[in-house]
Amino acid sequence: MAIEVRIPTILRTYTDGAKAVEGAGATIDELFKDLDSRHPGIRERLVDEQAGGGLRRFVNVYLNDEDVRFLAGLGTELADGDNVTILPAVAGGAR
C-alpha cells in the first residue's frame, strides 16, 4: 500500500530534504511508525507519547484534505493512494 506523505520544511532534515516520501500502513499511527523506520526521529516530532500517544498539539495532519483530528486521530484508516499532509500549526503575528 503506497501512501504519499507531504513533509513540511521544518521536518525535511529527517527526510534528507525530500518534500514528499512514500509510506505504508493501515492507519496514520502505522504510517508514522513506517516512516520512522526509514527516517528515524520523525515520529517523535509528530506524536506526543507522554500525553497519551496522540498528535502533538502544534502539528496538523490531513488525510486527503481532511483533518485527522476530526476523523479518528492516529487510528484513522488509510487506503492505497491516499495523500497525507503534515503541517506545523502557525500562530502569532503582529497587531
Side-chain angles (χ1 to χ4, degrees):
M1 173 182 327
I3 299 160
E4 180 184 54
V5 183
R6 294 183 193 116
I7 307 295
T9 305
I10 196 163
L11 295 178
R12 290 182 191 158
T13 55
Y14 294 95
T15 61
D16 297 321
K19 294 178 182 182
V21 296
E22 290 216 352
T27 64
I28 294 287
D29 192 44
E30 289 179 15
L31 174 67
F32 288 171
K33 287 176 182 173
D34 177 62
L35 290 179
D36 199 63
S37 71
R38 288 177 284 117
H39 308 286
I42 196 166
R43 186 174 191 281
E44 181 181 327
R45 301 286 295 186
L46 304 172
V47 177
D48 190 350
E49 295 294 346
Q50 294 179 353
L55 287 173
R56 288 196 175 273
R57 186 173 176 197
F58 297 108
V59 173
N60 297 312
V61 177
Y62 296 89
L63 169 61
N64 302 324
D65 300 325
E66 286 193 62
D67 190 333
V68 300
R69 281 190 171 91
F70 297 107
L71 299 172
L74 291 175
T76 300
E77 294 185 4
L78 301 171
D80 191 32
D82 278 342
N83 291 301
V84 172
T85 302
I86 301 168
L87 290 175
V90 179
R95 289 185 172 201

